[in-house]
Amino acid sequence: MNRHLLVAACAAFLAACAAKDTKPVPKADPPYVFPHSPHVDGDVDCKACHGSIVNSSRLEARVRHVGLPRKNSDTCNGCHDDKDFQDKIKLAIPPRTRAFDVRFDHKAHLARPGVVCTTCHKAPPEAGQAVAARVSMSACTSCHNHQADFTAARCTPCHVDLKRYEKPVAAFRHAGDFLRTHGSLARPTAETCAQCHDQTFCADCHSATTAAARPSILYPEAVQRDFIHRGDYQSRHMIDAGANPASCRKCHGSAFCEACHTQRNLTQFSPIQPQNPHPAGWGTDKAGGNFHGTAARKNIVACAGCHDSAGSAICVRCHMVGGIGGNPHPASWNRDADEIPKNAMCRACHG
Amino acid sequence: MRTTPRTFAAALVLASAAVARAEVIDASATTVVTAGQQLRGALPGVTPGLDTVAPVYELISLQAHDLRNPLFQNLEVVVAGWASYDTADRRWNSGSTDNFTGDLTAGYVRGQLFSRALTLRLGRAYVAAGAGRMLQLDGGDLLLRLPGGLSLSAFGGAPVAQRFRTRAGEQSWNPAGGDLAYGGRLGWTLPLPGVYGRGLDIGASYVEVTDAKLTVKDPTDPAGLRTFTDGGGNVVRQDAGLDFRLQPGAALVLTASGTYALAAGRVAELNAAALWTASERVFVTADFKRLAPDLFLSQNSILSVFTDRERTDLGGGVRWQATQATSLGADYHVLVEPTGEGGKTELGHEAAARAEWEAGHSRLGAELSYLVAGALGTGQNGYVGGRVFGRRDLGRAFVTGDVQLHSFKQEINGTKLAVQGTLSAGYALAGGWSAVVAGRAGVTPFLEQQADLLVKLVYNQTYRVREVK
């Protein structure tokens, strides 16, 4: 039944992608054709060509707000001696097709005293330039104090969508060993992370329970990325687990470990006699250096990799009240005795 | 933990249909075919066997933003899932006893109300804030932004297990261990004028996970047939957390967080880090972490009663952008590990270094790693690792290479060396399609010779249904 639903979901996905009213976004616009800098240097009013921008209250992908001056107008002839130059250069403004990354009201801003085009557009594009220089956010913050919005991760009122930025910038720079530090940063500011990252991005590494395969298997070509568990991790996993067992437990339940250990014939769940991975003296030789109690105190999570769901049968046999294993609790054990009758785990020994 | 998956599959179908009305849609579909071998166990003294595994995967991902609707702002639908079929032997990590299987890695609907003051989310998602510890839930959460920089978030749901019936043949891989989780976080932010990011964030959070019903074998029954059955509601995890971030200026960020396990009456986790942009070219980090691994076990596991040892790691790193093309970095952490005897500890060491060069269409990198946790002995090992990698873009095509070597301090399965190399090549086809072929070969402690092949066809596209207002 469920496989049918999964197939139906895949079909719905494909149907959604083929929806008629969706249009793929072009990769790039044609290069700019107008040499802006000599005109800016010549104090030509931007509105001579971009007159309609003063009435634009929103940015639209297909609108450039360009209207070249009439032939032989004073605007051009003030500098250009050749009256027919416009016919000779045949300046054709290509349409803009890419959507904007920000929401902006030119009409409201240009109506304010002291605000001119170059207040924000410090470096207008030149002829041949493929992409215009992005207006720096300091142009906005020189007038607006957006600190509260920034701290509250309210980027989207101005930014259409941060998810398509190629690299994190400025305060969001993911420098250093970001694999190690990103968790500490996310705890107080998870909403800030969500401004750029859907949880599908987190799921690449954090969905050990439901993932298809680990990311380094699915993306072998991404050689520059800091993937966890890259390469032959089977040989290294027990070393990493010994160094930081809690880290494993954040993503992997005991049954995940058992799924492999069972097939490797390393657990009591194996269909045939398990290979005993424990050294000699494991059971009772306290002085020999291989005693199981010492190992358990050191790294109980390693025990859980095979024995978590059978702990009551294996451990309790000796460690129950009156058993030969004695009291297994550490010195700091301070659970309330009232918990015993309520908790099946306690009753296993204290029943 | 084995509730019906129909709701989730239905949600997936609905979400997929809904995206046609979205303003911006990121869509991705990836078909992957791999072929290789996996080791299986055998009787003691008998050579282990090899199984040939050749799964075919289909991974899909959809993020639809700004869905048109009369109620919510920024309404988005996010779905990511996969299905696979094992054409040869079944791989160990499918989580299934069936050749055909699949799961949902993320899937939620999220929207904002009241001028973005209230954010609601419903579906399969992570709890990342506070003491959530990336708890993956099937449920819902909300975030309410209050005046004065206060915020309140709450969540509730069932910790994620493999719910689809095609995956029901294996035990639950749910790391949380319980059936019901809920909690929340109260936060306060103080934005400081000046550069972006400058400010203070403080939060207090609470997470509780309980189980539904527990059946435990009676150890006093020699036949092993008698069981205790618990009515449920036992605490699997009950943590209170504090978190903190301070950015006093443009160059420095300080973070700290801690989790206190209420049921055990002990600190489960302490973290602190300082991130300093010393100059445009130099970035320095220092961090401290103390963990109690037993408190990361489900607290209804009998194993959680046996130990109280803590582990600490302390260290830092430096990144230096030496030239525009070259970056260098190194990290070192000392690991303070319990010996298992009383309160005694021993020291381990973890170090890494990385150099990367990128110019034009080429990228080269090299990495070194070193890990020894405590004194070497039975059950304790370490390694020195090295890796070189490179990528060359050739117009619409690319090639990459990656070689990894690990030398172990003590023998694993009779050998001390693991080497693995991967070569891949890809080509960007038209219309958002691309193809990748990769081959991997190596010699490892568990496989004297290893070879895998991967073929991948990817579709990646962004659609805009209408113009941005």
Side-chain angles (χ1 to χ4, degrees), chain B residues 43-119:
Chain B
L43 286 164
V46 178
T47 306
L50 288 172
D51 279 6
T52 299
V53 293
V56 180
Y57 300 94
E58 184 64 35
L59 298 94
I60 59 169
S61 171
L62 273 177
Q63 296 105 43
H65 304 282
D66 291 333
L67 278 160
R68 277 175 279 175
N69 75 98
L71 189 61
F72 290 96
Q73 295 113 39
N74 281 356
L75 185 64
E76 61 183 36
V77 174
V78 173
V79 178
W82 58 275
S84 74
Y85 185 80
D86 282 299
T87 59
D89 292 321
R90 207 171 300 127
R91 66 199 190 281
W92 76 265
N93 53 343
S94 72
S96 175
T97 51
D98 199 335
N99 281 8
F100 179 83
T101 186
D103 216 325
L104 195 61
T105 49
Y108 57 84
V109 180
R110 182 175 181 266
Q112 295 179 311
L113 290 168
F114 311 124
S115 302
R116 304 168 195 269
L118 177 63
T119 304

Side-chain angles (χ1 to χ4, degrees), chain A residues 2-3 5 9 12-13 16 21-23 25 59 61-62 99 103 137 141 146-148 150-152 154 156 163-164 171 173 175-177 180 184-185 187-189 191 198-200 203 206-207 209-212 217-221 223-224 226 230-232 235-236 239-240 242-246 249-251 253 255-256 258 260 263-265 275 279 290 294 297-301 304 308 311-312 315-316 320 328-330 332-335 342-345 348, chain B residues 5 9 12 16 19 24 26 28 39-42 62-63 65 74 78 80 82 92 98 100 103 105 108 110 116 121 124-126 130 143 145 160 165 167 171-173 175 185 189 191-192 194-198 219-220 230 234 243 255 257 263-264 269 277 283 291 297 299-303 305-309 311 313 319 333 337-338 341 346 350 354 363 371 373 378 380-381 383 387 400 402 404 406 412 420 424 444-445 454 456 462 464 467-469:
Chain A
N2 290 291
R3 71 180 62 182
L5 287 170
F13 165 78
D21 60 344
T22 57
K23 298 180 183 70
V25 178
L59 297 171
R62 289 175 180 77
R103 295 178 171 93
M137 211 157 96
T141 54
H146 284 313
Q147 203 63 28
F150 178 91
T151 309
R154 281 192 291 248
T156 49
K163 296 178 177 68
R164 268 169 284 281
R173 192 158 66 111
D177 186 1
R180 181 184 286 269
S184 299
L185 287 165
R187 288 178 185 206
T189 58
E191 277 301 302
D198 282 318
Q199 290 210 343
T200 53
H206 282 281
S207 67
T209 303
T210 55
I217 297 291
L218 295 174
Y219 310 106
E221 73 280 13
V223 291
Q224 75 284 5
D226 283 333
R230 190 187 277 280
D232 170 38
S235 303
R236 303 199 307 276
I239 302 173
D240 286 0
N244 189 355
R249 299 298 301 191
K250 288 179 181 175
C251 296
F256 179 83
E258 286 170 9
C260 181
Q263 298 207 35
R264 296 294 311 283
N265 200 20
Q275 300 177 58
N290 292 330
T294 307
R297 296 272 199 232
K298 182 174 183 177
N299 187 359
I300 193 69
V301 172
D308 202 10
S312 56
C315 314
V316 171
M320 66 186 302
H329 298 309
S332 68
W333 188 255
N334 61 357
R335 296 285 185 96
K342 302 175 197 165
N343 191 324
M345 179 184 72
Chain B
L12 187 64
S16 301
V19 296
V24 183
D26 290 315
S28 162
L39 191 63
R40 297 289 185 266
L62 273 177
Q63 296 105 43
H65 304 282
N74 281 356
V78 173
W82 58 275
W92 76 265
D98 199 335
F100 179 83
D103 216 325
T105 49
Y108 57 84
R110 182 175 181 266
R116 304 168 195 269
R121 180 166 51 193
R124 176 170 287 187
Y126 295 96
L143 171 67
R145 294 206 180 279
V160 167
R165 205 168 299 163
R167 308 193 81 196
Q171 291 176 281
S172 166
W173 289 355
R185 178 177 179 271
T189 62
L192 299 173
V195 295
Y196 265 36
R198 197 166 170 240
T220 61
D230 197 298
N234 289 324
D243 56 77
T255 68
S257 61
E269 188 175 8
T277 307
F283 185 78
L291 299 162
L297 289 173
Q299 295 300 291
N300 62 357
S301 161
I302 198 92
L303 297 173
V305 309
F306 288 124
T307 186
D308 60 352
R309 299 292 188 268
R311 288 161 182 263
D313 72 66
R319 291 291 181 283
H333 289 81
E337 306 276 345
E341 299 290 345
E346 56 198 16
E350 183 178 15
R354 181 175 173 124
R363 176 192 287 263
L371 175 66
T378 305
Q380 194 69 61
N381 203 341
Y383 59 76
R387 176 173 175 249
T400 71
D402 181 358
Q404 235 180 329
H406 285 89
I412 298 174
Q420 197 173 64
S424 63
T444 73
L454 175 142
K456 184 164 73 170
T462 296
R464 289 175 201 274
E467 303 310 326
V468 174
K469 282 185 177 175

